[in-house]
Amino acid sequence: MPTHYDITHTTIYRYKTPVTFGLHRVMFRPRDSHDLRVLATDLQVSPQAHVRMIQDPYSNSIALVQPMGEATELRIVCTFSIEHVVAPLDTLSLDPAAEMMPFAYAVHERLDLEHYLRPHYDDPDGTLIRWAHQFLYADGSNSTRDVLQRMNAHIGQSLSYVPRDEEGTQTPLQTLALGSGSCRDYALLMIEAARRLGVAARFVTGYLYDASLDTGGSEPGDSMTGAGSTHAWLHAYLPGAGWIAFDPTNNLMGSGGQLIRVGVARDPALAAPISGSWYGDPEAYEGLDASVVVRRISN
């Protein structure tokens, strides 16, 4: 049965003195597919702005927002109603040839997955590959799902979650050295580790449904890390099952109804929820307020 959600995403940039704004790239709209359907959308921008919608190379929906005139505040409010259908994990069977690691992708799939298979970050001393290999058991068979589930669980259990307001993502080696990171850092660490094990992986940005924050009724034990703002996780491409979600921040596999994807990319830098420019006194910038509310409407 589909579940319906209402989502409100609010971003406010504040300035001490009036500034003018350049073009802003907004990636807020949930990504339609067979399991997720957008029923209604609304985008409000203050000051008044010219808005046009495009699709990027990954077929993500992007709003190009050009605010008009000067202002001391840029406010962008996006609201959505969506229908989400969750497929039970036991229905997502892998191809027999991919059930155990290592496995090889079919040639026609590998051509399209190349950018998701190639590591994007250096590992000069082999630190990351050694870290990834700890999830492969030398004295037994390595189920592809089990290896990825072990890695997914280990990240959240062994690292300290530290939310960050500043833009950008730590490199995987920085995250391991610090022993901490945000959801974007956790996702990138697992993406790069999975790629070194021969698994295609991509970055996902979106929203996290947390039942404990839902005014429709709290459910004990359902509290999620990273709710209340944009969230990040990853997809691993498993032959026979397709793109499967892994959220190392909350040790989730599959959407389970909690993960609502907005955009995908081969690297976090290509999936920023919002980016843009402004012109004025360099000391004018005062700060950013951002919030996300995800409410379940019906089952």
Side-chain angles (χ1 to χ4, degrees), residues 14-291:
R14 293 190 170 89
Y15 304 86
K16 299 172 185 175
T17 57
V19 300
T20 56
F21 302 98
L23 186 69
H24 281 64
R25 182 181 185 272
V26 179
M27 183 187 285
F28 285 170
R29 187 185 191 277
R31 186 182 174 95
D32 285 287
S33 186
H34 63 279
D35 61 340
L36 193 156
R37 187 160 63 101
V38 179
L39 304 176
T41 68
D42 184 58
L43 173 61
Q44 300 291 329
V45 182
S46 177
Q48 184 177 357
H50 175 68
V51 179
R52 61 189 179 97
M53 300 295 298
I54 66 167
Q55 284 189 315
D56 71 4
Y58 302 97
S59 296
N60 300 313
S61 292
I62 307 295
L64 298 180
V65 177
Q66 178 57 69
M68 313 301 288
E70 290 189 335
T72 57
E73 178 182 285
L74 173 60
R75 180 185 296 260
I76 301 174
V77 181
C78 304
T79 56
F80 311 97
S81 295
I82 67 167
E83 180 181 84
H84 198 196
V85 179
V86 178
L89 278 176
D90 57 8
T91 67
L92 301 176
S93 300
L94 273 62
D95 283 347
E99 289 180 354
M100 297 294 173
M101 296 184 69
F103 66 88
Y105 291 100
V107 173
H108 69 278
E109 288 185 326
R110 189 174 184 90
L111 289 172
D112 293 323
L113 294 171
E114 182 62 31
H115 287 304
Y116 304 113
L117 279 164
R118 186 188 311 126
H120 294 173
Y121 294 82
D122 292 334
D123 184 26
D125 299 322
T127 300
L128 184 55
I129 190 63
R130 287 193 297 272
W131 183 88
H133 278 172
Q134 71 179 300
F135 305 105
L136 297 173
Y137 292 161
D139 56 353
S141 61
N142 288 290
S143 159
T144 300
R145 280 197 186 185
D146 289 348
V147 170
L148 294 174
Q149 284 179 310
R150 288 195 289 267
M151 186 185 299
N152 195 51
H154 180 82
I155 291 173
Q157 293 167 358
S158 64
L159 303 178
S160 299
Y161 180 81
V162 179
R164 298 196 320 276
D165 292 331
E166 62 268 22
E167 295 181 1
T169 307
Q170 295 171 178
T171 69
L173 293 181
Q174 287 174 325
T175 299
L176 289 177
L178 292 170
S180 64
S182 68
C183 58
R184 297 173 71 85
D185 305 321
Y186 284 10
L188 181 58
L189 170 61
M190 184 166 172
I191 287 170
E192 287 289 295
R195 288 171 176 170
R196 281 169 169 80
L197 296 181
V199 177
R202 67 185 184 184
F203 182 83
V204 188
T205 183
Y207 305 121
L208 177 67
Y209 170 67
D210 184 349
S212 69
L213 300 179
D214 195 329
T215 57
S218 174
E219 299 178 23
D222 280 348
S223 180
M224 295 285 159
T225 300
S229 60
T230 54
H231 191 53
W233 59 98
L234 66 134
H235 281 162
Y237 189 83
L238 305 180
W243 291 108
I244 301 299
F246 290 87
D247 177 12
T249 302
N250 293 291
N251 191 22
L252 299 176
M253 178 180 175
S255 71
Q258 293 109 328
L259 301 173
I260 301 169
R261 67 186 172 279
V262 167
V264 301
R266 57 183 170 82
D267 186 79
L270 303 174
I274 184 169
S275 59
S277 58
W278 59 274
Y279 307 95
D281 184 342
E283 303 298 323
Y285 183 68
E286 194 167 28
L288 163 68
D289 292 324
S291 65

